[in-house]
Amino acid sequence: MDTRTQTNITSQPTRKVIKTIRHDGSSEVSLMSKRSLQGDRDSLERMVVDFAIANPVITTGTNAPLTEPQIADIRLKVREGDLTPVLKAYEHDLATPILATLRGNLLRTLLIQVQKTKVDVEIAMGGIDALLKSQELVFGFVGLTPGILVTYFGLHYLRSNLTSKRGARAQGEQGKLLRQLRNIDRVLQHAEPTEFGELGYRDLGLLLCEVHVLRVAAEKSLPRGRVAREFGEDVEELCDVRVGVGRQKAAAERVRWAYGRYLS
């Protein structure tokens, strides 16, 4: 899996979660458009009002035209789901359905009721839509989970590899330090001191070479600060030919036990 793919499966769900938290209006979780319900309700209202105006006898019981207050009352009732004028005409036409279909308002009332059913269905869908939107954050986190898992295991794998390689290099350096201490010990043990108890030129040269290699290797293994400074002091004493072979051996032994945890 390349870097771009891994970024997409993580960043895209994350952006969706952020949009949900911010109540972004462009949410994808929706069953219908925002204005579809309002448009259908307005259409139903106009259909019922036009029917009532065209049939005042059914609405008011008289042939007098409807007044503005009466029309406003019908509009209010339609918004509340009351289609009394239409239902009265529908019940009346059912007595003679064939004649009402040809000459009456049966077909018109049926179409108005179809529109009312459509509005009712959209209202129910609106409730489901609101429920989905309330759970959109959950859906977002569900979509984000695979990306998080892939990223986590990918980083864990890389870190494990880097740690193992670093550990292998550190073990190699520590093994080198131990070999240098062994060489230093061999030089001191096989050295033939002079009459003053000091190392000869040959043995001193070998010791200085081994100590130099030890210093270089220790720079990569020992922690900086006081430990490195004290190590330098002990190594200086180890190289000081004036202190005698005995103290040099003691210094080598001190280096071994004092810094053993960094060397093993």
Side-chain angles (χ1 to χ4, degrees):
M1 181 180 296
D2 58 13
T3 305
R4 179 177 297 179
T5 302
Q6 185 171 350
T7 302
N8 288 338
I9 64 176
T10 305
S11 62
Q12 290 180 357
T14 302
R15 286 196 293 268
K16 290 181 180 180
V17 169
I18 294 174
K19 286 182 179 180
T20 302
I21 295 174
R22 292 179 176 177
H23 303 285
D24 189 2
S26 61
S27 172
E28 296 180 1
V29 180
S30 180
L31 294 180
M32 57 186 182
S33 62
K34 298 178 181 179
R35 299 188 178 276
S36 62
L37 175 59
Q38 186 60 41
D40 287 334
R41 295 181 73 169
D42 292 342
S43 175
L44 176 63
E45 182 179 318
R46 290 192 298 269
M47 293 168 68
V48 175
V49 170
D50 291 343
F51 180 83
I53 292 174
N55 300 275
V57 176
I58 298 175
T59 305
T60 62
T62 64
N63 287 322
L66 297 180
T67 62
E68 288 299 327
Q70 289 175 324
I71 294 175
D73 183 61
I74 293 173
R75 292 182 186 276
L76 179 61
K77 289 181 178 180
V78 172
R79 294 191 189 102
E80 295 174 351
D82 185 0
L83 304 183
T84 299
V86 176
L87 294 178
K88 284 183 178 180
Y90 178 71
E91 294 169 1
H92 178 269
D93 290 341
L94 280 180
T96 55
I98 298 177
L99 183 62
T101 301
L102 297 176
R103 300 176 55 186
N105 296 311
L106 182 60
L107 185 59
R108 187 176 182 182
T109 56
L110 282 174
L111 293 176
I112 293 175
Q113 291 185 72
V114 169
Q115 180 68 13
K116 176 64 167 60
T117 302
K118 181 180 178 182
V119 171
D120 291 340
V121 170
E122 289 190 355
I123 291 174
M125 291 178 65
I128 299 174
D129 190 55
L131 179 62
L132 288 176
K133 287 182 180 296
S134 68
Q135 299 298 319
E136 187 174 1
L137 187 60
V138 177
F139 298 154
F141 278 113
V142 170
L144 180 60
T145 300
I148 293 177
L149 292 177
V150 170
T151 303
Y152 170 77
F153 286 113
L155 293 177
H156 180 71
Y157 174 76
L158 292 176
R159 186 175 62 181
S160 298
N161 282 350
L162 292 176
T163 302
S164 61
K165 291 180 180 179
R166 191 181 299 116
R169 287 196 298 268
Q171 289 179 355
E173 294 297 332
Q174 291 169 356
K176 188 175 182 180
L177 290 173
L178 287 176
R179 288 193 298 273
Q180 291 308 122
L181 286 175
R182 175 181 176 275
N183 293 340
I184 291 172
D185 185 72
R186 285 174 58 86
V187 170
L188 293 175
Q189 294 297 333
H190 293 84
E192 296 180 359
T194 64
E195 57 182 331
F196 302 105
E198 300 174 352
L199 290 176
Y201 292 116
R202 175 180 174 277
D203 295 327
L204 179 60
L206 292 174
L207 177 64
L208 293 177
C209 290
E210 298 295 344
V211 170
H212 174 72
V213 177
L214 177 66
R215 282 179 182 271
V216 174
E219 290 178 355
K220 301 178 182 179
S221 299
L222 294 179
R224 299 182 182 276
R226 189 176 67 178
V227 174
R229 184 174 63 255
E230 292 175 351
F231 177 79
E233 294 173 355
D234 291 332
V235 170
E236 287 294 335
E237 184 176 353
L238 177 61
C239 296
D240 190 356
V241 69
R242 296 170 298 177
V243 300
V245 177
R247 288 186 58 180
Q248 287 178 298
K249 290 181 179 180
E253 184 63 26
R254 184 166 62 251
V255 169
R256 185 187 301 276
W257 64 258
Y259 309 100
R261 62 173 178 165
Y262 304 111
L263 308 179
S264 58

